[in-house]
Amino acid sequence: MIDTAGTQLFHTTMPFTEKLGVEVLEHGREVVRSRLAWQEDLCTLGGVMHGGALMALADSTAAVCAFLNLPEGKQGTTTVESKTNFLRAVRSGYALATARPLHAGRTFIVVETEIRDDADKLVAKITQTQAVL
């Protein structure tokens, strides 16, 4: 089921996610889940979803997770570090991103994001550090 409030939050704060077609399934302090449908125009040769599209999904999902875990009085975050391990290709269906906070401090928030395919196989694992603004 699509989380319409979460999808609107993504699209309003990051218009690029609307252009990509990102849909939010759940958003809260403990977990943010979103998905991106396989589309031919998001692929490399051979019909494999481009790593940049997967990273955009992961970065956007982690950014909202960090935003929802901001310390009181703070207004935003920015990605200062991102580490990705790509483990398998997405050739159809959806890429599903799930982001969870590992650390929510006063100056940095660390978020871990997993991307899985329709068969629930791990596609990528991403760890990001977001600076608190």
Side-chain angles (χ1 to χ4, degrees):
M1 177 178 230
I2 304 301
D3 175 344
T4 53
T7 299
Q8 186 62 38
L9 173 64
F10 269 56
H11 294 176
T12 301
T13 60
M14 299 171 287
F16 181 59
T17 61
E18 184 172 16
K19 187 173 192 82
L20 282 176
V22 174
E23 298 173 313
V24 177
L25 304 175
E26 175 182 2
H27 77 290
R29 288 180 54 87
E30 296 302 315
V31 66
V32 177
R33 293 179 350 125
S34 65
R35 69 182 184 180
L36 179 61
W38 181 95
Q39 302 167 60
E40 189 174 350
D41 62 347
L42 295 179
C43 291
T44 63
L45 291 175
V48 173
M49 191 179 283
H50 192 284
L54 294 171
M55 278 305 305
L57 175 66
D59 185 57
S60 301
T61 306
V64 169
C65 184
F67 177 78
L68 295 173
N69 282 278
L70 280 170
E72 190 172 328
K74 299 299 180 176
Q75 297 188 0
T77 68
T78 188
T79 304
V80 295
E81 187 272 339
S82 185
K83 163 73 169 82
T84 303
N85 289 98
F86 292 106
L87 305 169
R88 72 177 350 98
V90 175
R91 299 180 192 279
S92 64
Y94 288 91
L96 172 67
T98 303
R100 290 184 168 82
L102 294 178
H103 170 76
R106 291 185 328 265
T107 56
F108 291 103
I109 298 172
V110 180
V111 179
E112 183 173 75
T113 305
E114 287 188 354
I115 299 177
R116 294 186 173 270
D117 64 14
D118 282 342
D120 201 34
K121 295 194 183 221
L122 188 60
V123 170
K125 191 144 192 153
I126 302 93
T127 304
Q128 287 188 337
T129 303
Q130 302 259 342
V132 174
L133 302 176

